[in-house]
Amino acid sequence: MKRRSFLLGSAALAAVGAYALYRGQGIDAASLSGRPQLKFPTLMDTSISGRFKLKAMAGKTDFGGGRSGVTAGFNQSHLGPVVKMRPGTVQASVENQLEMPVSSHWHGLVVPGEFDGGPHQAIASGDSWQPELPINQAPCTAWYHTHIHGATATGVYAGLAGGIIVSDGRDDERGLPSTYGEDDLFLILQDKRFSADGQMIYSRDMMSQMHGFTGDTVLVNGQVGSVAIVPKSVVRLRLLNGSNARIFRLSFDDGQPMHLVATDGGYLPEPKPIDQLQLSPGERAEVLVDFSNSEAAMLVSAPDPNAGMGGMMGRMQNAISGLGLPFEVVAFAIDDRLDKRINKVPAKLGGDVPNLRNSAFVQERRLSLDMGMGGGMMGSAMAINGRAFEEKTINLRANLGTVEKWTVSASMLAHPFHIHGVSFQVLSENGNASRPENQGWKDTVLVNQEVELLVRFDQLAADSAPFMYHCHILEHEDAGMMGQFVVG
Ligand code: C2O
Ligand code: CU
Ligand code: CU
């Protein structure tokens, strides 16, 4: 049977307010009726044509639950299609129908600097950009988003982002679910803030500058309070944290494990059961969930470790105020009538173990993610190694085909650190072995004090089209916590 909206009730959601706290009351199918059914972005499969077209446009969006906003998206009013690509050359076309410049950075595609879509490839209003993407990497979940310096936070918040699936078409051999929207679900996790009358708002108040902007409502694929209808079988979730600043720590309310199968850069050698998944802005993870013994389930998140006045103090305050409770991310209702394609978690995936430990690194660098206090008294407010981003300054030079060791440190808050155009291995976190979700290939990692990375430079980037490295809290990035490097 085809997916049907059997749970799609008419009841409106509860009134506008803070995001739904999850109080551990347990979830059953009946308690989910009345929630809107989660929809998935349109799949744009380029496997045969080898081409796709995106148009940045403005619009108005109804997020459900009485909430709406003035938004932007690719090919639609908010967010964009999921673009599926096979290895080979993929011809992209990005047209800008907005009144401001946008770009389309392919976050997670390892392509040369000139096709990367960063701040140096801005598309002026009314113009278009035709990069030819040489896709030569392992299957993975990636994404695209605007990346105009100083306007990334507002652009992504408005909706200028979408998903990418790189596929080699061999998931049946791996025993992995791969039917898009049925047992292979793309989930874009974001948060937004709404006014009392349900209008989407954004603000650059002091707190949002310091911590990054977090919302009061969680949205999945741009929808509020929805339920995903899934088969009574193994289901794959492609989780993307597309929020400006919120760090999710995801788990299932009934304690069932998630089987981690892929990190940013693709498959692990074998699935790894985990109880909690930390996903910071920019990161992706693919997990399998076995719903064969469930009727309903709730994916919840622990509070953002950066919430409150920062660090330990914030954590204590949250515990006191009740904000320390987990909150709902998305509900699942299991429909026994849907096709059960995959009934067990595969034993092996065939992914490649990062092995850069064995290659000699040619350079060691230290990068500190700096947050100055008091508006410039200690140098620039947001910077890396004391220097804020400057469009004309190349901060680092690397050599093609080499490996470097980067020690990245952060104080005050946890910062998601992202590097364009490379794959890296997380060697250690605060002197310890990396957490399970950081053991595969990565391009973004949460730095909570210090991480050591082994970075492999596989793509060229000239001075005219350098790669970026930056904090993926978009307010920090826009304020200068970003640098650029060339690979030659
Ligand atoms: Cu997801 Cu430089 O970006
Ligand atoms: Cu990127
Ligand atoms: Cu940051």
Side-chain angles (χ1 to χ4, degrees):
M1 160 189 154
K2 275 272 122 194
R3 161 171 313 276
R4 200 151 287 155
S5 50
F6 81 102
L7 275 177
L8 191 62
S10 49
L13 281 173
V16 175
Y19 52 74
L21 287 178
Y22 182 71
R23 297 181 187 276
Q25 67 271 53
I27 285 296
D28 55 40
S31 69
L32 297 177
S33 65
R35 291 190 187 228
Q37 183 175 342
L38 180 69
K39 295 192 279 294
F40 301 97
T42 307
L43 182 68
M44 205 177 239
D45 192 344
T46 71
S47 306
I48 292 163
S49 68
R51 51 181 64 241
F52 67 98
K53 202 172 199 160
L54 298 175
K55 273 182 209 166
M57 53 178 71
K60 292 201 76 181
T61 301
D62 182 349
F63 302 107
R67 294 163 177 88
S68 60
V70 177
T71 54
F74 290 101
N75 303 359
Q76 59 198 41
S77 70
H78 183 242
L79 299 175
V82 165
V83 184
K84 181 172 178 178
M85 346 181 150
R86 289 269 172 102
T89 301
V90 178
Q91 180 63 60
S93 165
V94 187
E95 192 182 314
N96 181 10
Q97 299 183 341
L98 290 165
E99 260 142 47
M100 61 208 187
V102 299
S103 81
S104 183
H105 166 54
W106 321 107
H107 180 145
L109 295 187
V110 187
V111 296
E114 60 186 305
F115 305 130
D116 184 54
H120 295 274
Q121 284 108 34
I123 309 164
S125 174
D127 276 4
S128 69
W129 180 54
Q130 264 89 30
E132 202 169 85
L133 306 173
I135 306 298
N136 175 24
Q137 64 185 88
C140 67
T141 298
W143 64 307
Y144 55 93
H145 61 80
T146 188
H147 209 309
I148 300 298
H149 186 53
T152 301
T154 46
V156 171
Y157 189 73
L160 292 170
I164 295 175
I165 294 175
V166 176
S167 165
D168 61 4
R170 296 177 49 199
D171 282 346
D172 282 350
E173 288 166 46
R174 295 184 182 98
L176 286 171
S178 61
T179 311
Y180 184 83
E182 295 188 15
D183 63 7
D184 182 354
L185 310 182
F186 210 109
L187 303 176
I188 305 174
L189 312 187
Q190 294 175 308
D191 60 346
K192 296 196 184 299
R193 208 178 287 177
F194 293 93
S195 64
D197 61 350
Q199 288 303 302
M200 179 176 106
I201 47 178
Y202 181 80
S203 108
R204 290 221 191 225
D205 55 89
M206 262 285 279
M207 194 66 160
S208 306
Q209 299 273 23
M210 284 285 292
H211 289 249
F213 182 89
T214 50
D216 52 28
T217 304
V218 173
L219 293 93
V220 177
N221 299 342
Q223 297 150 65
V224 173
S226 50
V227 55
I229 313 297
V230 294
K232 214 169 166 62
S233 63
V234 174
V235 171
R236 169 192 198 153
L237 309 179
R238 297 176 187 264
L239 299 159
L240 156 64
N241 185 343
S243 46
N244 282 31
R246 177 176 296 280
I247 299 161
F248 288 91
R249 288 179 289 159
L250 303 165
S251 62
F252 274 91
D253 72 305
D254 59 1
Q256 73 165 304
M258 295 172 274
H259 302 267
L260 183 69
V261 294
T263 56
D264 298 338
Y267 296 129
L268 301 173
E270 63 249 345
K272 192 175 293 184
I274 52 173
D275 293 326
Q276 195 186 57
L277 173 73
Q278 173 181 279
L279 201 68
S280 69
E283 289 185 296
R284 293 86 63 212
E286 295 179 32
V287 299
L288 301 182
V289 185
D290 186 353
F291 288 119
S292 54
N293 293 311
S294 318
E295 294 209 324
M298 181 68 77
L299 184 67
V300 299
S301 175
D304 184 343
N306 279 346
M309 281 306 289
M312 289 310 293
M313 206 164 99
R315 261 163 262 184
M316 274 159 56
Q317 276 186 346
N318 285 344
I320 294 161
S321 66
L323 282 173
L325 291 169
F327 57 88
E328 294 182 7
V329 176
V330 66
F332 294 86
I334 290 82
D335 184 346
D336 203 11
R337 296 165 297 179
L338 297 173
D339 265 3
K340 305 175 198 44
R341 279 192 71 240
I342 305 288
N343 294 300
K344 64 173 204 303
V345 173
K348 291 258 171 285
L349 300 162
D352 152 38
V353 202
N355 53 358
L356 298 181
R357 245 179 252 272
N358 305 326
S359 38
F361 46 88
V362 297
Q363 271 276 358
E364 242 186 294
R365 305 184 196 265
R366 298 193 73 90
L367 286 93
S368 94
L369 308 178
D370 304 326
M371 291 178 71
M373 297 278 275
M377 280 175 61
M378 290 159 48
S380 178
M382 299 288 168
I384 298 181
N385 290 349
R387 263 188 106 148
F389 177 76
E390 285 164 45
E391 195 149 353
K392 299 231 148 56
T393 306
I394 301 295
N395 304 85
L396 308 173
R397 293 181 182 271
N399 291 316
L400 188 67
T402 64
V403 172
E404 296 190 2
K405 182 176 167 190
W406 288 17
T407 303
V408 187
S409 59
S411 55
M412 298 180 61
L413 291 178
H415 300 263
F417 181 72
H418 170 51
I419 314 177
H420 289 210
V422 305
S423 311
F424 61 72
Q425 173 180 2
V426 183
L427 199 56
S428 74
E429 294 181 65
N430 304 332
N432 303 314
S434 52
R435 35 193 310 142
E437 56 270 61
N438 288 338
Q439 285 173 11
W441 289 107
K442 297 287 292 169
D443 56 51
T444 307
V445 65
L446 187 67
V447 184
N448 197 350
Q449 294 178 33
E450 188 171 283
V451 299
E452 291 179 300
L453 310 177
L454 291 173
V455 186
R456 192 178 68 194
F457 300 89
D458 288 334
Q459 294 291 343
L460 288 167
D463 286 58
S464 56
F467 287 133
M468 305 292 132
Y469 54 91
H470 58 88
C471 175
H472 221 289
I473 290 179
L474 302 180
E475 288 74 19
H476 291 177
E477 171 189 341
D478 275 346
M481 198 181 280
M482 178 158 78
Q484 48 191 354
F485 66 100
V486 298
V487 182

